[in-house]
């Protein structure tokens, strides 16, 4: 009787544990958390104190004093700092389930398709330590395809390209399974790093990662557009050591991120080359669906179309595709049980 009473307070969660952002989906409420995967920690002589998580912590990047460490615990789509990831998950799960009567939730977490067994175990242990009672894992391309409303259960080819912060996942899916996939650790973060390097090399101007990300989101483009207005970029002059502003053309921003973009395009082509001909025919008719934050880069769909001669388009909600798909799997566990990698409890 008591168990039945408390079960009414139970709340399961779907989590997109991303390099750049962590999103949490709650059944019947939708996406309730969308925060940067960043944690700020104060290093005291006898202990380490969590100061901020998410947006508040991200605002401290590049601005914190020496005793405060700002950490991004997810690197290239996998856990790089176990204890900090655990603290971050515990914080977000606590935000999602604030009722003190809530039972430990069942959690579905998406993971890159190329992760090792050790990396899978790290995700599972972090979630269990953070308070989950059961942990299910699902591969990101499957979650992204479901979130983009692709008919993955059909006996036909569906190609999804999920470009996140740390990894790009390219997969061909049929009959609710991945027929072929390739995961590379090149995505949005590498575009930011390439932009930082370009500004340093060409203009002797040092900009931070946060500035590079903002420039990419506002002015970056994968394929030439009509816009040619110069962009003002602020940074520190590496020669004189003082703040400076330089004027940069949009074509230079495009040039700066060419290397990571080329890696993504090459990965799409390699995957297409290895796709069975029957499924390749379906992809020719249906096209390529782009998801993830990286899919928001201006004209990326045009670049993919030009390079592959196949129609490419963004999902309706590219930023939310993975977490929405993970949430749908959570809500319809019996229907999607075949796509789950495994369960821990």
């Amino acid at each position: 009787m008591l168990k039945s009473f408390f079960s009414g307070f139970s709340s399961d969660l779907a989590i997109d544990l991303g390099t750049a952002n962590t999103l949490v989906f709650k059944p019947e409420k939708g996406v309730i958390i969308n925060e940067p995967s960043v944690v700020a920690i104060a290093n005291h002589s006898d202990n380490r104190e969590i100061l901020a998580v998410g947006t508040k912590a991200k605002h401290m990047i590049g601005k914190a004093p020496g005793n405060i460490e700002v950490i991004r615990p997810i690197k290239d789509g996998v856990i790089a700092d176990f204890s900090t990831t655990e603290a971050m998950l515990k914080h977000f799960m606590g935000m999602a389930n604030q009722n003190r009567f809530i039972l430990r939730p069942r959690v579905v977490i998406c993971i890159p398709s190329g992760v090792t067994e050790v990396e899978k175990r790290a995700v599972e242990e972090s979630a269990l330590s953070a308070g989950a009672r059961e942990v299910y894992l699902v591969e990101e391309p499957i979650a992204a395809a479901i979130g983009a409303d692709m008919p993955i259960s059909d006996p036909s080819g569906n190609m999804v390209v999920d470009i996140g912060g740390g990894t790009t996942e390219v997969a061909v899916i049929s009959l609710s399974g991945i027929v072929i996939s390739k995961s590379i650790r090149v995505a949005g973060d590498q575009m930011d790093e390439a932009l930082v390097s370009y500004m340093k090399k060409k203009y002797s101007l040092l900009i931070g990662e946060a500035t590079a990300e903002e420039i990419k989101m506002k002015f970056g483009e994968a394929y030439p557009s009509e816009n040619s207005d110069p962009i003002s970029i602020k940074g520190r002059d590496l020669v004189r050591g003082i703040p400076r502003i330089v004027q940069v053309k949009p074509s230079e921003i495009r040039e700066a991120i060419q290397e990571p973009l080329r890696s993504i395009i090459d990965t799409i082509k390699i995957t297409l080359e290895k796709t069975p001909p029957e499924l390749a025919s379906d992809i020719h008719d249906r096209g390529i669906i782009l998801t993830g934050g990286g899919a928001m880069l201006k004209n990326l769909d045009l670049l993919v179309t030009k390079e592959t001669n196949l129609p490419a388009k963004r999902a309706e909600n590219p930023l939310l595709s993975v977490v929405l798909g993970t949430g749908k799997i959570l809500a319809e566990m019996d229907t999607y049980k075949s796509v789950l990698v495994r369960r821990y409890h």
Side-chain angles (χ1 to χ4, degrees):
M1 183 72 177
L2 187 61
K3 183 178 180 180
S4 175
F5 170 77
F6 279 109
S7 66
F9 294 100
S10 179
S11 184
D12 299 335
L13 302 173
I15 300 176
D16 175 8
L17 189 61
T19 301
N21 294 283
T22 294
L23 294 88
V24 180
F25 178 99
K26 199 170 185 179
E28 299 181 0
K29 289 192 175 181
V31 179
I32 57 173
I33 294 171
N34 183 355
E35 296 258 354
S37 300
V38 184
V39 180
I41 299 174
N43 293 305
H44 303 300
S45 57
D46 55 345
N47 71 328
R48 302 175 82 213
E49 177 191 1
I50 302 294
L51 290 182
V53 178
T55 303
K56 290 183 180 179
K58 186 175 182 178
H59 288 160
M60 299 181 186
I61 292 177
K63 302 175 183 178
N67 67 317
I68 296 178
E69 191 176 4
V70 184
I71 300 172
R72 294 179 64 182
I74 311 296
K75 181 70 174 175
D76 298 333
V78 297
I79 293 174
D81 186 320
F82 181 85
S83 60
T84 306
T85 300
E86 179 187 331
M88 183 177 74
L89 271 174
K90 189 174 290 184
H91 175 82
F92 290 140
M93 287 167 64
M95 287 175 61
N97 290 331
Q98 296 181 348
N99 191 313
R100 65 189 181 91
F101 293 113
I102 289 277
L103 297 181
R104 291 173 58 154
R106 179 177 57 171
V107 175
V108 178
I109 302 178
C110 59
I111 54 172
S113 59
V115 301
T116 65
E117 289 299 311
V118 172
E119 290 165 340
K120 290 176 185 176
R121 189 73 185 177
V123 173
E124 168 262 325
E125 289 180 353
S126 290
L128 289 176
S129 298
R133 90 173 175 274
E134 289 182 348
V135 182
Y136 298 81
L137 303 182
V138 62
E139 292 178 304
E140 278 183 23
I142 291 283
I146 292 172
D149 293 325
M150 299 175 73
I152 67 164
S153 61
D154 292 354
S156 56
N158 299 274
M159 182 174 232
V160 61
V161 179
D162 180 49
I163 308 169
T167 60
T168 294
E169 307 273 333
V170 182
V172 175
I173 302 168
S174 178
L175 293 171
S176 298
I178 295 177
V179 177
I180 184 167
S181 70
K182 187 168 178 60
S183 175
I184 59 169
R185 296 185 176 184
V186 177
D189 285 353
Q190 287 67 37
M191 294 182 202
D192 299 341
E193 291 167 8
L195 188 51
V196 170
S197 178
Y198 181 90
M199 296 302 297
K200 188 185 298 184
K201 185 176 181 180
K202 183 165 184 178
Y203 291 98
S204 295
L205 189 77
L206 182 62
I207 62 174
E209 289 183 13
T211 300
E213 182 183 23
E214 184 179 359
I215 293 168
K216 177 191 69 181
M217 292 172 65
K218 286 185 177 179
F219 307 107
E221 57 184 19
Y223 194 75
S225 66
E226 296 179 358
N227 181 32
S228 59
D229 297 335
I231 304 154
S232 297
I233 297 180
K234 301 175 184 178
R236 190 181 81 223
D237 191 309
L238 289 171
V239 178
R240 295 183 293 168
I242 60 175
R244 182 162 68 101
I245 299 177
V246 298
Q247 301 294 315
V248 178
K249 297 177 182 177
S251 60
E252 293 180 274
I253 305 298
R254 188 172 66 252
E255 179 186 345
I257 60 175
Q258 275 307 297
E259 188 173 338
L261 280 176
R262 176 48 52 190
S263 295
I264 292 170
I265 294 296
D266 287 346
T267 301
I268 295 173
K269 288 183 175 180
I270 290 170
T271 306
L272 284 168
E273 287 170 4
K274 295 181 179 180
T275 300
E278 291 81 1
L279 298 181
S281 176
D282 296 329
I283 294 168
H284 182 275
D285 295 335
R286 295 185 174 188
I288 300 170
I289 301 298
L290 308 176
T291 68
M296 299 296 291
L297 182 67
K298 186 178 180 180
N299 292 341
L300 181 59
D301 51 343
L302 298 181
L303 178 65
V304 173
T305 296
K306 176 181 179 294
E307 293 286 342
T308 64
N309 290 318
L310 295 172
K313 64 178 181 179
R314 293 187 186 93
E316 187 176 343
N317 292 302
L319 286 166
L320 303 180
S321 293
V322 171
V323 74
L324 290 175
T326 308
K328 194 169 183 179
I329 292 167
L330 174 65
E332 302 175 36
M333 195 78 80
D334 290 338
T335 301
Y336 291 107
K337 61 184 178 182
S338 64
V339 308
L340 296 169
V341 176
R342 57 183 179 179
R343 185 188 78 177
Y344 300 90
H345 56 84

